[in-house]
Amino acid sequence: GQAENPDRPAGTSFDRSHRDLPDRVFSPSFSSFAASMQQEHAQELANEEDIGGPALISKLEAHGISNADCKKLQEAGFFTVEAVAYAPKKALMNIKGISEQKAEKILQEAAKIVPMGFTTASEFHVRRSEIIHLTTGSQELDKLLRGGFETGSITEMFGEFRTGKTQLCHQLAVTCQLPIDQGGGEGKCLYIDTEGTFRPERLLAVAERYGLSGQDVLDNVAYARAYNSDHQMALLVQASAMMSESRYALLIVDSATALFRTDYSGRGELAPRQVALGQFLRMLLRLADEFGVAVVVTNQVVAQVDGGAMFQADPKKPIGGNIMAHASTTRLSLRKGRGETRICKIYDSPCLPEEEAVFAINPDGIGDAKE
């Protein structure tokens, strides 16, 4: 599907040959031919990308794991060798038909393919210096984030309503498709929406600003609406399947916590809610580690109404408690400024200082505030 549009960046074209049509149109021989073609294509990609890129689960077959077992792993949501290597043994033993011995064998073989030991800090430093950042469209905000949203880690944005969280998500859904030298990630975007606030026309407005074809931009964004917290979890399994097939640069969960907040109510269900939220965030972290995508989640705030609120300048804090706080690598706090301007403050980050930046929400997306 790449011949007709030569100037689209590599790795962002959807292979539409057999994606949109119902499966039964093809005779089984054709669909297996398509699958083998896809495997060959994946193999070519794997050969090109020996430097990085996750190894598909089928690679385990060369290491003495049977085809049937690989199929079982895939059905359970493990699509790459990394996914298996990063999973605890308990998770593999929960899969029907995989015994403890088998799980141990699988983990041993996976550890041979995926480097899981120690490296020197200097090697790690080189790897960190190659990390891609996705531009936000505002120079001030990019400067604050040292280049933009980091890939391979979870960035959380929280704030009240109307502070620009969803607008930033829409902006990133487009900029992640830009070429790397323009601050993009040359990949597609997965958008999981829990509040029903996704608006494709916003993407078109941003695409026009960057001179991208609107149709291509929309084709490269895979969108899903999550209706409850279990569904939200199941969508991540689908996401990992899609990421193992083509190049994604970004996974957005617009409001990671809204559904947990309503599906579990009251103090009585607080513990199960935090456990479920923790599992969801762990899965997000796994996707970030496995595929190197940028994971961006938004979060809601809660007002503290206890006695201590009088002594704090800003009595609103993000929900999700410590579980949420420890899962996200970088946490950004957003608040409203005058008119169209919004203020972003680094609330928690392993390497960025606690500074602020002002940006504006314009008709064509996120930009710098006009003085």
Side-chain angles (χ1 to χ4, degrees):
Q2 283 160 331
E4 70 267 15
N5 189 349
D7 45 19
R8 179 191 283 179
T12 58
S13 68
F14 258 129
D15 178 13
R16 271 217 224 61
S17 52
H18 53 279
R19 195 61 54 85
D20 296 333
L21 298 166
D23 290 335
R24 58 180 179 279
V25 176
F26 303 126
S27 62
S29 60
F30 178 82
S31 63
S32 63
F33 163 73
S36 70
M37 283 295 289
Q38 207 174 2
Q39 266 176 338
E40 274 176 39
H41 177 61
Q43 200 51 52
E44 281 167 26
L45 274 179
N47 294 346
E48 283 170 26
E49 292 188 8
D50 269 341
I51 33 172
L56 290 178
I57 196 86
S58 48
K59 197 167 173 184
L60 281 173
E61 288 179 34
H63 289 249
I65 306 295
S66 71
N67 184 298
D69 288 346
C70 288
K71 285 255 184 335
K72 282 176 199 159
L73 289 170
Q74 257 176 327
E75 278 161 21
F78 296 95
F79 297 94
T80 64
V81 182
E82 277 81 354
V84 174
Y86 299 157
K89 187 167 75 173
K90 188 174 72 173
L92 298 184
M93 283 161 58
N94 288 342
I95 302 171
K96 194 162 164 267
I98 290 191
S99 62
E100 188 169 354
Q101 283 94 357
K102 206 177 266 185
E104 276 173 11
K105 170 109 168 74
I106 291 172
L107 286 174
Q108 272 172 2
E109 296 306 323
K112 289 178 191 167
I113 303 175
V114 183
M116 306 235 328
F118 287 94
T119 72
T120 62
S122 56
E123 274 176 54
F124 187 67
H125 184 57
V126 171
R127 277 221 303 275
R128 285 272 317 162
S129 65
E130 290 164 1
I131 281 181
I132 295 168
H133 288 82
L134 306 178
T135 174
T136 59
S138 152
Q139 290 178 348
E140 285 297 308
L141 199 48
D142 283 352
K143 205 156 67 184
L144 177 77
L145 297 168
R146 304 280 187 276
F149 281 71
E150 192 179 280
T151 53
S153 69
I154 298 181
T155 308
E156 174 202 342
M157 303 189 280
F158 66 86
E160 290 179 282
F161 62 97
R162 66 156 182 50
T163 50
K165 302 188 294 287
T166 300
Q167 297 302 326
L168 262 167
C169 290
H170 282 70
Q171 174 84 19
L172 289 166
V174 179
T175 58
C176 75
Q177 304 177 33
L178 291 168
I180 288 174
D181 54 13
Q182 288 178 31
E186 288 185 17
K188 299 179 199 168
C189 166
L190 269 171
Y191 200 115
I192 297 176
D193 173 21
T194 66
E195 298 176 324
T197 51
F198 178 71
R199 297 288 178 269
E201 50 271 33
R202 290 295 295 152
L203 299 183
L204 291 173
V206 180
E208 198 174 308
R209 163 182 167 185
Y210 286 102
L212 299 169
S213 137
Q215 195 53 50
D216 287 347
V217 165
L218 295 184
D219 284 343
N220 285 331
V221 175
Y223 166 77
R225 173 81 201 270
Y227 291 101
N228 60 57
S229 52
D230 295 337
H231 181 212
Q232 192 175 325
M233 194 74 194
L235 285 172
L236 288 191
V237 176
Q238 278 182 38
S240 64
M242 289 161 71
M243 285 180 186
S244 62
E245 280 168 18
S246 64
R247 178 178 166 124
Y248 282 87
L250 175 65
L251 166 61
I252 293 172
V253 187
D254 192 6
S255 194
T257 46
L259 293 175
F260 289 99
R261 206 176 183 176
T262 47
D263 289 358
Y264 299 89
S265 53
R267 281 276 160 96
E269 293 186 273
L270 187 60
R273 180 191 90 178
Q274 292 298 80
V275 169
L277 180 61
Q279 282 168 344
F280 177 73
L281 294 168
R282 172 69 186 268
M283 181 80 178
L284 284 179
L285 191 60
R286 200 185 90 190
L287 291 176
D289 287 339
E290 204 179 312
F291 299 104
V293 296
V295 177
V296 175
V297 299
T298 68
N299 191 2
Q300 301 176 335
V301 291
V302 60
Q304 285 173 289
V305 287
D306 54 7
M310 308 188 318
F311 307 111
Q312 283 174 336
D314 188 16
K316 290 175 292 293
K317 60 176 196 180
I319 63 174
N322 288 328
I323 293 228
M324 191 80 197
H326 293 305
S328 27
T329 317
T330 308
R331 309 186 83 191
L332 306 175
S333 151
L334 300 174
R335 63 179 199 273
K336 195 172 183 327
R338 256 183 303 195
E340 294 303 303
T341 60
R342 303 287 186 272
I343 299 148
C344 170
K345 178 176 189 231
I346 293 183
Y347 191 76
D348 168 38
S349 159
C351 55
L352 302 175
E354 288 197 9
E355 290 168 357
E356 293 187 347
V358 181
F359 64 96
I361 300 175
N362 300 322
D364 62 356
I366 304 289
D368 284 317
K370 299 177 186 64
E371 287 311 320

